[in-house]
């Protein structure tokens, strides 16, 4: 299996985040990707390729033009306003507040195009996010071109990013961009299976009214865990997309037996949908020692996860999402990929 990775993704280097109501050291840091890449090379798992450049067109197939323009021009507006350092939003257009007209002030723009305060924007965020999207697109191109599977070592992650706002450490929705690319490349149906600890709220929202992309997510129950406001079992799609969204919220403390039962149920839905290609949002924060998560999967159980995904029998694009136990992240990630290959 080929891995796609760009060192440009490391340029986004946040120092802090706001979490649990406090300013804390950032956990979505460049070393996450570096450790996974090092493990791939150390184990001789496969070739590591640089991504191709796709331009903005495939990104604009998923994200709103005004949102793309905001991200692209953010740092200039931030510094022109006399600001420096990492940017955090602090006001949002919730409930009776309006999203239009869009504010001119940089603080209003930050609130309009975000949904949390835990995702800082910096000077290199846009460049890194673009490289992360190109990484996912290149892996999708490999699979569309006949590869059985490919791994997009994306960072920053993407599954929390909506069509026109960011959050959860995510700016461009890499999995959604890859799925849309596969559709545009000729796949009639694409399934996106999100196995991250946190619900893939952005991916769900992007495809919620569509029947050509099935979205499924295994995650911690949002009654107890981020993102709190999406990810419930009664969210099944709307309009043409009714019945093409399935959430499997799981209790805090979920272990492999419970997780694997939900995985089996999700894969049954995938089989019923009969897609041409599977995109896996590969979060490794289900690991038992992840610092911000509360599931209990062990390193060796990620081998079983990979083997179970292979049994779907589909061309598969793996897109890296979360996972913050950096000491074990490389092992856990390669375990999933090698479990898939070995199966």
């Amino acid at each position: 299996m080929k891995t796609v990775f760009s060192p440009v993704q490391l340029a986004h280097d946040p120092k802090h985040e706001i979490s649990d109501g406090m300013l804390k050291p950032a956990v979505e840091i460049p070393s996450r990707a570096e450790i996974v890449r090092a493990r791939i090379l150390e184990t001789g798992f496969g070739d590591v390729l640089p991504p191709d450049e796709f331009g903005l067109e495939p990104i604009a197939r998923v994200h709103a033009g005004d949102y793309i323009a905001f991200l692209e021009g953010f740092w200039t507006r931030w510094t022109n306003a006399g600001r420096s350092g990492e940017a955090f939003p602090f006001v949002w257009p919730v409930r009776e507040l309006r999203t239009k007209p869009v504010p001119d002030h940089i603080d209003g723009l930050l609130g309009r195009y975000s949904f949390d305060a835990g995702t800082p924007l910096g000077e290199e965020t846009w460049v890194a996010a673009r490289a992360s999207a190109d990484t996912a697109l290149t892996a999708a191109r490999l699979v569309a071109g006949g590869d059985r599977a490919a791994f997009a070592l994306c960072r920053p992650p993407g599954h929390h990013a909506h069509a026109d706002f960011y959050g959860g450490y995510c700016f461009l929705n890499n999995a959604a961009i890859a799925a849309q690319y596969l559709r545009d490349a000729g796949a009639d149906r694409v399934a996106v299976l999100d196995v991250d600890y946190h619900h893939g709220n952005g991916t769900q929202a992007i495809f919620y009214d569509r029947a050509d992309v099935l979205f499924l997510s295994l995650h911690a129950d949002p009654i107890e865990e981020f993102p709190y406001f999406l990810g419930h079992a009664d969210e099944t799609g709307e309009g043409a997309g009714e019945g093409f969204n399935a959430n499997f919220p799981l209790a805090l403390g979920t272990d492999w037996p419970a997780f694997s039962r939900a995985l089996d149920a999700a894969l049954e839905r995938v089989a019923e949908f009969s897609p041409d290609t599977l995109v896996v949002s590969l979060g490794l924060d289900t690991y038992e020692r992840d610092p911000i998560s509360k599931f209990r999967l062990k390193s060796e159980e990620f081998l079983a996860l990979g083997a179970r995904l292979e049994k779907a029998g589909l061309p598969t694009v793996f897109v890296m999402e979360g996972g913050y136990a950096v000491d074990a992240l490389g092992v856990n990630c390669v375990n999933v990929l090698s479990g898939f290959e070995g199966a």
Side-chain angles (χ1 to χ4, degrees):
M1 186 189 308
K2 299 182 182 74
T3 293
V4 185
F5 171 74
S6 169
V8 175
Q9 296 176 104
L10 307 178
H12 173 65
D13 188 10
K15 305 303 180 187
H16 300 94
E17 62 179 72
I18 296 174
S19 179
D20 303 325
M22 297 176 284
L23 190 66
K24 295 184 175 183
V27 299
E28 203 297 286
I29 51 179
S31 61
R32 296 179 60 246
E34 293 177 300
I35 286 168
V36 173
R37 178 179 177 273
R39 179 67 177 177
I40 288 169
L41 294 174
E42 173 189 334
T43 57
F45 180 73
D47 295 334
V48 178
L49 311 174
D52 300 323
E53 293 186 7
F54 287 78
L56 291 178
E57 183 177 355
I59 295 173
R61 295 282 290 140
V62 167
H63 290 286
D66 59 324
Y67 173 63
I68 295 170
F70 163 76
L71 289 177
E72 188 172 21
F74 164 74
W75 189 252
T76 297
R77 296 192 70 147
W78 181 246
T79 54
N80 285 348
R83 311 289 181 84
S84 61
E86 298 176 326
F88 292 91
F90 64 88
V91 60
W92 292 271
V94 298
R95 297 182 179 87
E96 290 84 7
L97 301 184
R98 297 172 60 182
T99 59
K100 292 182 179 179
V102 177
D104 287 330
H105 194 279
I106 190 62
D107 291 320
L109 288 168
L110 280 166
R112 168 61 184 83
Y113 292 115
S114 69
F115 77 92
D116 71 11
T119 308
L121 277 169
E123 182 175 6
E124 303 296 337
T125 300
W126 169 245
V127 172
R130 276 285 307 276
S132 193
D134 281 340
T135 295
L137 285 163
T138 303
R141 175 182 279 174
L142 287 169
V143 171
D147 282 25
R148 173 71 173 82
F151 172 47
L153 178 44
C154 291
R155 189 264 156 195
H159 71 149
H160 293 305
H162 288 237
D164 64 350
F165 55 90
Y166 69 90
Y169 313 144
C170 303
F171 305 96
L172 296 176
N173 195 311
N174 303 311
I177 290 167
Q180 183 61 54
Y181 175 87
L182 291 164
R183 283 284 292 113
D184 293 338
D188 290 330
R189 292 177 302 280
V190 176
V192 181
L193 174 59
D194 192 319
V195 296
D196 192 277
Y197 173 79
H198 303 93
H199 178 246
N201 53 290
T203 316
Q204 171 174 303
I206 287 165
F207 296 119
Y208 202 60
D209 61 354
R210 290 172 54 171
D212 58 331
V213 179
L214 173 69
F215 176 70
L216 312 102
S217 181
L218 284 64
H219 53 271
D221 193 330
I223 287 291
E224 298 285 350
E225 188 57 91
F226 183 93
Y228 303 112
F229 304 109
L230 275 182
H232 301 283
D234 63 352
E235 297 160 13
T236 58
E238 64 183 10
E242 176 60 46
F244 295 95
N245 192 90
N247 289 319
F248 300 84
L250 300 169
L252 303 187
T254 287
D255 58 8
W256 171 248
F259 189 89
S260 65
R261 287 193 293 271
L263 179 63
D264 285 344
L267 289 172
E268 286 179 11
R269 293 289 301 273
V270 171
E272 293 168 2
F273 183 63
S274 189
D276 300 293
T277 313
L278 176 65
V279 175
V280 177
S281 271
L282 183 59
L284 286 310
D285 44 2
T286 51
Y287 177 56
E288 62 182 346
R289 292 200 292 272
D290 193 276
I292 66 170
S293 305
K294 298 179 179 68
F295 281 1
R296 296 177 181 168
L297 271 64
K298 303 180 184 302
S299 287
E300 59 270 21
E301 291 166 341
F302 288 105
L303 287 162
L305 172 58
R308 195 75 59 85
L309 292 170
E310 193 278 335
K311 288 183 180 178
L314 293 166
T316 302
V317 181
F318 290 93
V319 179
M320 182 75 177
E321 300 287 2
Y324 308 99
V326 290
D327 57 334
L329 187 58
V331 170
N332 293 342
C333 184
V334 174
N335 277 1
V336 175
L337 302 177
S338 58
F340 183 94
E341 289 278 85

